[in-house]
């Protein structure tokens, strides 16, 4: 259900917001044991918020934008008084003492918190399989992964357990799961949205963004969570445009660049390729001008990202030492053993692997060869994009090389798993905004995602093009028929 249909329900007066929210909570309670999208259900908070909105309705008060809309939050955003676990044993019992700026803004605008959603541990992964709380199932096929790391968020929206979710995207973690689950995922420009209260993974890449049923819902959430925040020195101090009013602008003459390196990549699944080609034709028939573009360094993104992200992660995760933060192992008799035992027991394999890679890449003697070199390649990737945007308005690519894979397919092969981020990581390295929208299905009935990439702070353009495409393709009405 999109925001519009839900608002019609509220406006019909047949049920109170509280009753509608109770229906959602019942649905979560029934379906979550199968899907494992939620790690915490915040029934009490949801009902309190719903009662408040109902009172505002009775009082005829002016309602804020997201009034009464039930949403979920990835469990790496701090929510005051509620467990914020990062799906890690390290933070299994961590109750956040403060509220992230993004969630604070959402509650201020009337959104309702249904709960926290599952993720790959500390947002490291592409399948939600590295979560300490078990894998999430893809609502389109419960034997498949929902993608990651915001897999719980994407699955919660696709399964109809909430109207929208908030995820984080360091190398694709909003877009890849949204694509696997057939929903809309937006990663804003680096700095567009405050990260105060987001548990850091790789600070030069992390961004928070919405996962929704429609592009218009995405624009609404973006308008609430964007903007400068004195608590986050990396947040940009530029006015927030009206993302909603520009959605229906005509895209006649819009120049869309097709990144050659993406469509010609040997790892790209044939059915994904065909669906993207059809989508390019659709854009053309909607009046857009299609231009072939080359970003020669695009495919170096993975190697670059998997040096930079683990390096930053190794520094960010140093704070979990059993003293300042996190799980403490008992039974050791000196500080050094206690720290190392706590980290060995608290972190899972993938997180430990990243810390080791990152520590190695940053160590004296190797940092020039790995970390600094990766930073240089990062600049080259950004230069390719800058050049492309001299000739086009937005860029188009598939979001992922394949559709959702089976659980366990890559659990013992981390390098192959890393390749599923092929088409998303260059965008983070360059700090650009990008959106994924459903554009078709493969023969197994699994959704395929299309990625639109904008220049810095050009969210309006990608939202506009995505919205016009979505209206024309009329794909959003398809939802998984969950069999239980
Ligand atoms: N899959 C990527 C990784 O494992 C991206 C993760 C993310 O965006 N948080 O690093």
């Amino acid at each position: 259900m999109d925001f519009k249909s839900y608002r019609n329900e509220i406006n019909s007066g047949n049920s109170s917001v509280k009753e509608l929210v109770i229906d959602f909570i019942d649905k979560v309670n029934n379906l979550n044991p199968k899907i494992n999208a939620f790690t915490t259900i915040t029934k009490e908070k949801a009902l309190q918020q719903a009662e408040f909105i109902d009172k505002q309705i009775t009082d005829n008060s002016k309602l804020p934008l997201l009034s009464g809309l039930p949403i979920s939050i990835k469990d790496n955003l701090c929510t005051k008084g509620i467990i914020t676990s990062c799906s890690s044993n390290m933070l299994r019992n961590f109750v956040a003492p403060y509220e992230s700026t993004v969630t604070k803004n959402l509650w201020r605008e009337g959104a309702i918190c249904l709960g926290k959603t599952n993720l790959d541990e500390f947002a490291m992964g592409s399948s939600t399989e590295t979560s300490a709380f078990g894998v999430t199932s893809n609502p389109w096929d419960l034997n498949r992964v929902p993608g990651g790391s915001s897999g719980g968020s994407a699955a919660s929206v696709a399964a109809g357990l909430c109207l929208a979710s908030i995820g984080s995207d360091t190398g694709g973690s909003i877009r890849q799961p949204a694509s696997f689950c057939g929903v809309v995922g937006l990663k804003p420009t680096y700095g567009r949205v405050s990260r105060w209260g987001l548990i850091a993974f790789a600070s030069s890449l992390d961004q928070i963004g919405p996962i929704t049923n429609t592009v218009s819902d995405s624009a609404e959430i973006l308008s609430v969570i964007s903007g400068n925040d004195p608590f986050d020195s990396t947040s940009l101090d530029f006015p927030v445009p009206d993302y909603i009013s520009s959605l229906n602008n005509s895209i006649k003459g819009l120049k869309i660049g097709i990144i050659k390196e993406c469509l010609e990549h040997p790892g790209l699944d044939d059915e994904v390729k065909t669906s993207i080609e059809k989508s390019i034709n659709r854009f053309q028939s909607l009046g857009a001008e299609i231009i072939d573009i080359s970003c020669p360094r695009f495919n170096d993104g993975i190697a670059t990202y998997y040096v930079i992200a683990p390096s930053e992660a190794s520094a960010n995760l140093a704070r979990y030492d059993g003293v300042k933060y996190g799980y403490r192992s008992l039974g050791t008799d000196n500080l050094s053993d206690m720290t190392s035992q706590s980290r060995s027991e608290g972190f899972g394999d993938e997180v430990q692997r990243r810390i080791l890679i990152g520590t190695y890449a940053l160590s004296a003697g190797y940092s020039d060869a790995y970390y600094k070199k990766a930073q240089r390649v990062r600049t080259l990737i950004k230069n390719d994009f800058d050049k492309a945007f001299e000739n086009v308005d937005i860029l188009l690519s598939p979001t992922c090389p394949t559709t959702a894979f089976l659980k366990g397919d890559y659990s013992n092969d981390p390098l192959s798993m890393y390749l599923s981020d092929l088409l998303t990581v260059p965008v983070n390295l360059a700090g650009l905004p990008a959106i994924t929208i459903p554009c078709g299905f493969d023969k197994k009935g699994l959704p395929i995602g299309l990625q639109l990439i904008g220049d810095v702070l050009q969210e309006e353009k990608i939202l506009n093009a995505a919205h016009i495409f979505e209206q024309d393709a009329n794909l959003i009405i398809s939802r998984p028929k969950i069999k239980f």
Side-chain angles (χ1 to χ4, degrees):
M1 193 194 300
D2 63 358
F3 291 179
K4 200 169 148 204
S5 329
Y6 184 82
R7 285 184 181 129
N8 287 341
E9 298 245 344
I10 299 184
N11 294 337
S12 74
N14 294 333
S15 341
S16 64
V17 172
K18 189 172 172 187
E19 282 162 342
L20 293 171
V21 167
I22 288 173
D23 285 348
F24 271 95
I25 293 171
D26 288 347
K27 208 165 165 191
V28 173
N29 282 328
N30 286 336
L31 294 188
N32 201 50
K34 296 268 180 199
I35 297 181
N36 197 27
F38 283 79
T39 50
T40 304
I41 301 165
T42 51
K43 182 174 174 184
E44 222 174 284
K45 183 173 171 83
L47 295 183
Q48 257 174 23
Q49 289 175 317
E51 278 167 14
F52 182 73
I53 306 287
D54 279 330
K55 173 139 191 341
Q56 283 183 305
I57 294 175
T58 330
D59 294 349
N60 261 329
S61 313
K62 190 175 176 312
L63 294 177
L65 186 64
L66 304 179
S67 286
L69 306 177
I71 64 171
S72 65
I73 307 290
K74 186 176 182 177
D75 205 18
N76 61 350
L77 276 108
C78 287
T79 38
K80 191 173 177 180
I82 297 168
I83 294 228
T84 301
S85 72
C86 272
S87 291
S88 176
N89 283 324
M90 188 52 96
L91 293 177
R92 185 177 274 270
N93 301 315
F94 173 64
V95 177
Y98 69 102
E99 191 75 29
S100 78
T101 298
V102 160
T103 48
K104 200 192 286 165
N105 289 342
L106 290 163
W107 313 147
R108 189 200 58 223
E109 286 298 315
I112 288 177
C113 179
L114 282 189
K116 306 293 290 287
T117 50
N118 200 14
L119 62 147
D120 281 294
E121 185 178 6
F122 280 96
M124 298 175 192
S126 309
S127 63
T128 325
E129 286 168 299
T130 72
S131 164
F133 303 132
V135 61
T136 296
S137 301
N138 189 316
W140 294 88
D141 175 348
L142 299 182
N143 296 315
R144 290 178 187 271
V145 303
S149 63
S150 315
S153 287
S156 69
V157 177
L161 303 183
C162 54
L163 297 186
S165 190
I166 299 298
S168 68
D169 191 312
T170 305
S173 277
I174 289 176
R175 290 160 289 156
Q176 188 254 19
S179 168
F180 278 16
C181 291
V183 290
V184 175
L186 172 71
K187 182 203 96 71
T189 302
Y190 183 75
R192 176 75 290 186
V193 175
S194 163
R195 293 164 316 153
W196 169 255
L198 170 70
I199 295 181
F201 163 10
S203 309
S204 76
L205 301 158
D206 298 339
Q207 251 305 280
I208 299 171
I211 297 180
T212 53
N213 283 298
T214 68
V215 177
S216 144
D217 295 353
S218 183
E220 286 197 32
I221 294 205
L222 183 66
S223 63
V224 167
I225 63 175
S226 292
N228 182 240
D229 176 12
F231 288 140
D232 176 0
S233 60
T234 63
S235 77
L236 298 171
D237 194 4
F238 290 107
V240 178
D242 183 346
Y243 296 116
I244 302 155
S245 71
S246 51
L247 284 177
N248 283 309
N249 290 354
S250 159
I251 61 163
K252 285 210 169 56
L254 184 82
K255 292 193 170 102
I256 303 184
I258 311 298
I259 308 173
K260 188 175 108 199
E261 287 73 14
C262 298
L263 276 192
E264 287 172 6
H265 196 280
L268 187 64
D269 178 272
D270 285 342
E271 290 184 65
V272 173
K273 185 170 178 179
T274 310
S275 174
I276 297 299
E277 283 165 349
K278 277 193 195 149
S279 308
I280 294 173
N281 291 340
R282 183 183 294 279
F283 270 116
Q284 208 155 19
S285 66
L286 288 165
E289 189 185 330
I290 304 298
I291 298 170
D292 287 325
I293 284 284
S294 171
C295 289
R297 294 286 173 183
F298 196 91
N299 291 331
D300 295 332
I302 283 285
T304 310
Y305 172 87
Y306 278 98
V307 172
I308 293 176
S311 298
E312 295 184 12
S314 72
N316 275 325
L317 271 59
R319 73 191 71 175
Y320 305 102
D321 57 2
V323 179
K324 292 193 282 296
Y325 283 102
Y327 164 84
R328 178 183 297 182
S329 175
L330 300 173
T332 52
D333 56 14
N334 64 68
L335 183 64
S336 159
D337 286 357
M338 191 273 283
T339 303
S340 99
Q341 272 302 105
S342 299
R343 287 168 69 81
S344 302
E345 291 165 15
F347 290 135
D349 289 349
E350 184 58 28
V351 172
Q352 294 194 31
R353 180 180 297 120
R354 306 266 179 133
I355 293 174
L356 288 173
I357 295 174
T359 308
Y360 182 83
L362 288 178
S363 58
Y366 290 105
S367 70
D368 279 357
Y370 295 106
Y371 184 70
K372 288 199 184 131
K373 187 153 184 196
Q375 291 290 23
R376 281 191 213 112
V377 182
R378 180 177 191 171
T379 305
L380 296 177
I381 293 172
K382 172 82 171 83
N383 291 348
D384 278 357
F385 279 117
D386 288 347
K387 231 164 143 192
F389 285 118
E390 284 171 12
N391 300 310
V392 299
D393 296 302
I394 61 172
L395 292 163
L396 181 154
S397 78
T399 307
C400 304
T402 66
T403 52
F405 45 87
L406 289 166
K407 290 173 186 169
D409 263 2
Y410 298 122
S411 341
N412 298 318
D413 185 2
L415 288 182
S416 302
M417 178 87 85
Y418 295 171
L419 283 178
S420 77
D421 306 325
L422 185 73
L423 305 167
T424 49
V425 290
V427 173
N428 300 71
L429 289 166
L432 303 173
I435 191 167
T436 179
I437 44 170
C439 69
F441 295 89
D442 69 4
K443 291 201 186 82
K444 296 189 205 83
L446 299 169
I448 297 171
L450 166 85
Q451 174 172 246
L452 299 175
I453 306 167
D455 202 353
V456 171
L457 291 175
Q458 299 295 309
E459 279 83 358
E460 274 170 294
K461 276 191 193 155
I462 53 173
L463 284 163
N464 172 212
H467 176 75
I468 299 289
F469 178 92
E470 175 193 76
Q471 299 298 305
D472 192 66
N474 206 14
L475 276 164
I476 47 165
I477 44 166
S478 344
R479 276 286 159 252
K481 309 207 176 7
I482 307 167
K483 296 187 209 88
F484 290 104

